[in-house]
Amino acid sequence: MRSADEGVNSAQGTPIRSQTDMTSTDHADSQMAGKAISGRSAQIDGRTVVVAGRWIKIASIKDEDLVEGQAVSDPQLFVARLKEAGFKADIFTFAQKLPDIAPRYPYHLDWDNPAVIPITSFKDWWDGRVESSVRRGVRKASKLGVVAKEAELDDVLVNGIADINNETPIRQGRAFWHYQKDVESVRRENSTYPERNAFIGAYYRDELIGFMRMIYVDNIASIIQVLSKMKHFDKRPTNALIAKAVEVCEQKGISHLVYCSYIYNDP
C-alpha cells in the first residue's frame, strides 16, 4: 500500500537549507532497465530520497522495500525537511510495510499486490498453502537429482550466476538486462546489503542451474532475484529454490517471504 503526499516543491526564491545534520543533498546511483543511473538525492533522517519523472517529478525513498524499520515515521515532518533541503518534486510517495496493511494516513493511496508466503512451518506451507503443481515440481527436481542449498557469494557462485545470465539474451520475450555483464559487475550488483544478503543455489551434478537472492528486512525475507537456466527447465530448479527458501525462513524465524507481484486473472 503506497501513499502520496503532494506539495514537495520548495518555497519561492532561494531554497532554504537545513540547519541540522539530518538533511543534505547529493547524488545517488540507482538502477533503471538494468543500467546504473545517477540522479539528485537528499538525505532525510537517514533515508536517501531520489526523484524520477520529467513533467511530474515523483520523490521516493531509494530501495524503500529494503529499508529496515518504517520508511517514514512522520510524513509531514519528512516533507518539511525535503522542502528545507530545496529538493524539488511534485509528489512524495511512501509505503507501509508488511504486516502493517491497514491504512494509517489521510493521503491518497494505491494498493500494492505483493505475492507473500506467511511463514509458520514448512509442513504447514507444503500441506496446506502450496499449489499441487509446485509440489509436483519440487518432487520432480529432487527425483532428477537437483539439490537446493544455501550458498555464499564467493568466486564460485559469482561465476555461476554470470554463466546463468549469459545463457540467453532474451528472457520472457524481452532483452535480458544482465546478459553479458562481466564477473565483477555481477559481484558488485549482488554485494549490496551484505549483512542481510542470502543466496540459495540449485545444483545439478555440481553445476549451478538456478539461484535465488533474498534480502532480510526486519522479520521479512524479500526475494530480489530468482533465475534458472532455460536448458534445465524440465528439472524444475525454480520450484526447488522456492521450497528451500520457505525452509530457510522457518529456520531463521522469518514471518513472511515476499517473492513477486501477484498477477490477477481477468474475469
Side-chain angles (χ1 to χ4, degrees):
M1 180 180 63
R2 180 170 298 278
S3 299
D5 188 12
E6 299 182 358
V8 184
N9 284 332
S10 61
Q12 295 181 356
T14 304
I16 300 173
R17 298 296 177 184
S18 171
Q19 301 301 312
T20 72
D21 294 332
M22 303 178 75
T23 306
S24 64
T25 58
D26 201 347
H27 281 75
D29 294 329
S30 58
Q31 293 278 328
M32 180 175 289
K35 297 180 180 180
I37 59 173
S38 180
R40 190 163 181 266
S41 67
Q43 293 291 327
I44 309 293
D45 296 347
R47 307 302 193 203
T48 300
V49 182
V50 294
V51 65
R54 300 182 65 181
W55 299 106
I56 297 178
K57 297 187 180 300
I58 299 177
S60 61
I61 294 173
K62 180 185 177 184
D63 292 347
E64 182 178 43
D65 293 341
L66 305 180
V67 171
E68 292 194 297
Q70 283 295 335
V72 178
S73 58
D74 187 332
Q76 288 186 329
L77 180 60
F78 200 93
V79 169
R81 286 177 173 154
L82 277 176
K83 291 180 180 180
E84 290 177 2
F87 196 75
K88 294 184 179 181
D90 301 297
I91 297 173
F92 171 64
T93 72
F94 63 100
Q96 291 177 217
K97 292 186 176 183
L98 288 170
D100 181 17
I101 61 173
R104 292 193 291 111
Y105 300 104
Y107 310 122
H108 169 82
L109 65 85
D110 294 313
W111 289 98
D112 206 351
N113 60 333
V116 182
I117 300 174
I119 304 297
T120 52
S121 68
F122 181 88
K123 185 178 185 304
D124 176 62
W125 172 74
W126 183 262
D127 292 341
R129 296 180 183 273
V130 69
E131 294 181 359
S132 59
S133 60
V134 176
R135 284 196 295 270
R136 289 195 300 269
V138 174
R139 292 189 181 108
K140 184 175 183 179
S142 178
K143 183 178 180 180
L144 294 177
V146 176
V147 176
K149 59 184 179 181
E150 294 181 86
E152 296 294 330
L153 189 64
D154 54 17
D155 290 344
V156 174
L157 182 62
V158 169
N159 281 280
I161 293 173
D163 188 47
I164 294 173
N165 288 345
N166 292 331
E167 181 189 25
T168 175
I170 303 295
R171 283 185 178 268
Q172 297 180 334
R174 298 180 180 180
F176 184 48
W177 294 349
H178 302 292
Y179 182 66
Q180 290 189 330
K181 284 185 178 178
D182 60 76
V183 170
E184 288 310 309
S185 294
V186 173
R187 188 192 310 277
R188 182 177 60 254
E189 291 175 0
N190 285 280
S191 296
T192 55
Y193 303 98
E195 72 284 357
R196 298 190 272 125
N197 227 355
F199 292 89
I200 299 173
Y203 300 87
Y204 176 68
R205 297 177 179 174
D206 296 326
E207 176 189 1
L208 183 73
I209 65 171
F211 80 98
M212 174 186 291
R213 181 189 178 194
M214 299 188 296
I215 292 181
Y216 299 122
V217 185
D218 297 319
N219 201 38
I220 292 173
S222 183
I223 295 178
I224 303 303
Q225 188 177 21
V226 56
L227 192 67
S228 299
K229 285 188 174 180
M230 297 174 67
K231 69 178 182 180
H232 290 292
F233 175 80
D234 63 304
K235 300 177 182 65
R236 301 296 190 267
T238 301
N239 291 135
L241 289 168
I242 292 291
K244 185 63 179 180
V246 174
E247 180 183 321
V248 169
C249 286
E250 179 192 1
Q251 294 169 354
K252 294 184 178 296
I254 297 297
S255 65
H256 295 80
L257 173 64
V258 182
Y259 60 96
C260 67
S261 293
Y262 191 82
I263 299 176
Y264 297 94
N265 295 320
D266 293 332

